[in-house]
Amino acid sequence: MLARPAPGGDVLDCEFVVETETVRGSFPVYVTSDDLDDWEEALGALAGNRFVSWLNSGRTVQFKIKPVSPGVIAVSVHDGPSSQVTVRVPLFPATGWIDDQRARLERVRRLFSG
């Protein structure tokens, strides 16, 4: 998150950064409360070891997250509206990462509520 939402605002100014040994990309994104609802649903699917796609509106980057094996997820970030670049990386998230994401989501939701 690059800035707190304006009072009464419904948009978060964010930046997603993908960095590996060979690639570095940053994607400016605005996230709405509806996007946060969708992320909450995506976390539920990921907790059930299911594939998710998030931010599919075409207005911003799109994320695809696929559980590959225990402890490994494949993440794809596609910058359709701008560069048309897609970056795919395997990630090895720490145990409890979904619960951590849910806690972060709750903190962000509190910013929206004031």
Side-chain angles (χ1 to χ4, degrees), residues 5-113:
D10 61 351
V11 174
L12 291 173
D13 186 18
C14 300
E15 177 182 44
F16 293 103
V17 177
V18 177
E19 189 169 346
T20 71
E21 291 178 12
T22 57
V23 173
R24 184 180 193 290
S26 64
F27 306 92
V29 176
Y30 67 88
V31 175
T32 67
S33 59
D34 288 341
D35 295 330
L36 296 178
D37 292 342
D38 293 344
W39 181 237
E40 183 174 24
E41 287 180 32
L43 289 172
L46 288 166
N49 208 35
R50 295 186 311 270
F51 168 85
V52 300
S53 184
W54 183 55
L55 295 177
N56 302 321
S57 68
R59 69 174 161 75
T60 187
V61 296
Q62 176 185 23
F63 292 86
K64 293 181 181 181
I65 305 169
K66 179 180 178 182
V68 177
S69 61
V72 182
I73 58 176
V75 177
S76 172
V77 182
H78 177 66
D79 184 19
S82 182
S83 68
Q84 297 294 312
V85 167
T86 300
V87 176
R88 290 181 185 92
V89 294
L91 295 180
F92 307 89
T95 301
W97 74 275
I98 292 175
D99 289 335
D100 178 60
Q101 286 297 308
R102 286 180 171 145
R104 290 169 187 259
L105 174 61
E106 185 56 36
R107 288 193 301 267
V108 170
R109 286 186 189 274
R110 283 195 300 267
L111 288 175
F112 270 121
S113 64

